[in-house]
Amino acid sequence: MGSTIPLLKEQSLFVITKKVLPWILYALLPLALLRLYFYPLPFPPSPETELPHSSTPITITTHSSLSSSSSSSTPPLFSSPSSTSEKEKGGDDDENETACDYFNGEWVRDLRGPLYNGSTCSTIKEGQNCFKHGRPDSGYLYWRWKPNQCNLPRFDPNAFLQLIRNKHIAFVGDSMARNQLESLLCMLSTVSEPKLVYRNGEDNKFRKWQFVSHNASVSVYWSPFLVHGVEKSSSGPNHNVLYLDRVDERWGKDLDRIDLLVLSVGHWFLHPAVYYEGGSVLGCHYCPGLNHTEIGFYDVLRKALRTTLSSIIERRGGGNGGGGGRENTNGIDVIVTTFSPAHFEGEWDKAGACPKTKPFRNREKEVEGMDFDMRKIEIEEVEDAKGRGKEFGGFRLEALDVTKLALLRPDGHPGPYMYPFPFANGVRERVQNDCVHWCLPGPIDTWNEIFLEMMKKWERTAME
């Protein structure tokens, strides 16, 4: 009898465990999924996905030469501290400075991942919140840009906020300008929450945030041509109208209250349009049925940039220059973000329009065709305006040359995940894809890492 009791207890325990254990597992599964959503695990690098080191300079250069190969004898625009850390570790740079071209390099694996995610940043546009919309892979989040000559430091939100203390930054341009702005806001919000103080226009195309901790403001102005334009609409002509000899005053009227201007345009110039200059029709781009000369859009982009940069120089180029105290002068800093290529493969409304899940390897893809020409025009106009603005101490201008960096990242777009869970009911033959803008977090965060290094360079120069 005494030996029977332990046996019965063991049997009872077995029965209870058998009944309860499945329910415990069912309860733990949702908790595990929530943990993965808010804190996705990093993916370790593998031999198949790691990009190789290359001592060969890549095609795009950051100086005024626009040849198809970079020249080792030409000094880079910007410098950064040198580093001996391994590319997989992504360590910070030491204090010794060396010349560095931030725009020539390769994408390498980074175990750290982004500073934020789709649930911790409230300013992400829904169409770019890829993880929240069900994108199943997260490997695209674990890459960093490694310049050939140095390391690009990880974004330091405190340093950025300190540099813009008591200043107003404005992002002006098309939806790529907004994409870059929202990336910046997300990274800054990891240390200081931005307060929305103004919004206006359809889809909140004009907005302003304030970082109270640093008395700093960040704005976005929708201006897809930079110059004055009338966009096509369902109730009007099926083409845009551009006036190439005057800037868009929606941002121009606020120019005297802006300390740092980030310009980003390009994609809207591909749309059908009629162009005016000096009160007369100059020509058009793809305007069948209209009695206008077809002139394309390359020269139009050049004219729009020249008008824009000339107007900035005329209105704000008379400051005295200087560093941290420039908020009390009439000077202005200007960044032109170069053209960001799209990655459509086939039709835009078919599944798999941008299916890549990892970056291109170095030399696997070259900047060519329209992407090359758009970037070339932007770099040339920046260099020309820098020459014309030299006489003004308060005018600083540089190109944020992201064309090559962007070209090598076909994996960073929302694709079909511009909408929530597009394949919840099975794979459809037709599905809208976004292969132009960037997931947040995503590759475009790197644009702002380089942006910060450019600002640091300006600050060091001003202190000399």
Side-chain angles (χ1 to χ4, degrees):
M1 181 69 176
S3 62
T4 307
I5 293 175
L7 180 60
L8 291 173
K9 288 182 177 179
E10 290 179 5
Q11 291 175 343
S12 299
L13 183 60
F14 175 76
V15 171
I16 293 172
T17 302
K18 186 176 180 181
K19 290 182 177 181
V20 174
L21 185 58
W23 292 102
I24 294 175
L25 293 175
Y26 290 145
L28 290 176
L29 182 58
L31 295 175
L33 291 174
L34 283 172
R35 194 270 180 202
L36 287 173
Y37 174 75
F38 288 106
Y39 304 98
L41 294 174
F43 287 81
S46 63
E48 299 82 41
T49 57
E50 184 176 350
L51 291 173
H53 263 307
S54 172
S55 59
T56 305
I58 61 176
T59 307
I60 295 300
T61 60
T62 61
H63 47 272
S64 58
S65 172
L66 293 163
S67 62
S68 60
S69 61
S70 72
S71 171
S72 59
S73 63
T74 304
L77 283 177
F78 302 104
S79 63
S80 78
S82 63
S83 172
T84 58
S85 62
E86 295 178 6
K87 70 178 181 179
E88 284 296 335
K89 293 179 181 178
D92 293 331
D93 304 321
D94 59 34
E95 295 180 358
N96 297 320
E97 292 184 11
T98 182
C100 179
D101 175 0
Y102 284 115
F103 306 116
N104 283 314
E106 60 183 345
W107 290 98
V108 299
R109 277 291 188 180
D110 184 3
L111 303 181
R112 297 170 299 180
L115 288 176
Y116 63 96
N117 60 49
S119 62
T120 60
C121 180
S122 61
T123 55
I124 299 178
K125 181 178 173 63
E126 279 296 309
Q128 278 99 58
N129 202 334
C130 303
F131 199 75
K132 182 180 177 181
H133 283 185
R135 178 168 172 169
D137 65 306
S138 60
Y140 69 96
L141 297 173
Y142 297 95
W143 297 88
R144 68 180 176 87
W145 180 250
K146 174 66 175 68
N148 291 333
Q149 301 167 313
C150 65
N151 272 345
L152 174 62
R154 190 169 171 84
F155 187 84
D156 183 348
N158 286 305
F160 193 99
L161 286 169
Q162 186 60 35
L163 287 171
I164 66 169
R165 181 181 292 276
N166 301 323
K167 294 182 180 180
H168 177 198
I169 298 181
F171 287 77
V172 177
D174 55 22
S175 54
M176 299 306 295
R178 181 173 63 191
N179 205 179
Q180 184 181 352
L181 159 91
E182 289 169 349
S183 161
L184 178 63
L185 289 176
C186 284
M187 292 196 286
L188 295 178
S189 69
T190 60
V191 296
S192 181
E193 189 66 25
K195 179 183 178 182
L196 182 63
V197 294
Y198 176 80
R199 68 168 67 186
N200 190 22
E202 179 187 357
D203 197 28
N204 295 322
K205 290 180 176 177
F206 302 87
R207 287 176 292 172
K208 185 176 185 178
W209 293 262
Q210 189 170 34
F211 290 90
V212 179
S213 59
H214 292 74
N215 189 34
S217 299
V218 181
S219 299
V220 61
Y221 292 80
W222 172 258
S223 183
F225 314 112
L226 297 180
V227 293
H228 179 64
V230 179
E231 298 169 31
K232 62 181 181 180
S233 66
S234 57
S235 59
N238 192 30
H239 58 262
N240 301 311
V241 177
L242 278 66
Y243 299 87
L244 300 174
D245 48 5
R246 53 193 173 105
V247 298
D248 182 355
E249 290 298 333
R250 291 180 298 180
W251 64 268
K253 64 181 174 56
D254 292 340
L255 198 54
D256 61 343
R257 296 190 291 273
I258 296 173
D259 301 287
L260 175 54
L261 196 59
V262 182
L263 307 175
S264 181
V265 293
H267 288 277
W268 272 69
F269 285 85
L270 312 183
H271 297 180
V274 175
Y275 311 120
Y276 285 80
E277 187 175 45
S280 303
V281 174
L282 179 67
C284 72
H285 170 55
Y286 192 70
C287 55
L290 299 179
N291 189 25
H292 300 316
T293 303
E294 171 67 45
I295 62 172
F297 53 82
Y298 288 126
D299 286 341
V300 171
L301 172 63
R302 185 183 298 279
K303 287 177 178 290
L305 283 170
R306 185 164 298 183
T307 295
T308 297
L309 296 175
S310 295
S311 295
I312 295 170
I313 292 172
E314 291 168 6
R315 300 188 191 190
R316 292 293 308 275
N320 297 318
R326 276 166 47 89
E327 65 271 9
N328 294 322
T329 74
N330 292 322
I332 190 169
D333 296 329
V334 182
I335 295 288
V336 175
T337 304
T338 61
F339 189 73
S340 179
H343 290 95
F344 287 101
E345 299 181 18
E347 298 181 48
W348 67 272
D349 61 345
K350 279 194 173 182
C354 41
K356 297 287 192 298
T357 58
K358 61 181 181 181
F360 287 122
R361 294 175 182 269
N362 225 358
R363 293 291 187 183
E364 184 179 353
K365 192 78 171 175
E366 300 288 352
V367 177
E368 57 189 7
M370 183 192 70
D371 299 332
F372 179 88
D373 292 333
M374 297 288 274
R375 174 206 171 265
K376 178 177 182 288
I377 290 168
E378 291 167 333
I379 295 292
E380 286 177 344
E381 288 307 309
V382 166
E383 292 302 311
D384 178 72
K386 285 170 67 174
R388 288 184 283 117
K390 277 183 179 179
E391 61 183 286
F392 303 110
F395 177 71
R396 298 187 295 197
L397 169 66
E398 293 293 352
L400 179 54
D401 189 359
V402 301
T403 305
K404 184 69 176 185
L405 289 75
L407 179 73
L408 296 177
R409 290 304 306 269
D411 57 322
H413 301 290
Y417 299 98
M418 61 185 295
Y419 295 115
F421 302 96
F423 306 118
N425 298 319
V427 178
R428 296 173 292 162
E429 181 181 357
R430 296 288 176 179
V431 58
Q432 190 172 351
N433 289 270
D434 182 354
C435 304
V436 177
H437 302 96
W438 302 97
C439 291
L440 294 179
I444 198 168
D445 295 333
T446 300
W447 295 200
N448 289 316
E449 288 183 331
I450 300 175
F451 180 22
L452 172 57
E453 295 309 304
M454 295 167 75
M455 293 171 62
K456 288 180 181 177
K457 173 66 175 179
W458 274 339
E459 187 73 6
R460 287 195 299 268
T461 303
M463 303 298 260
E464 293 175 356

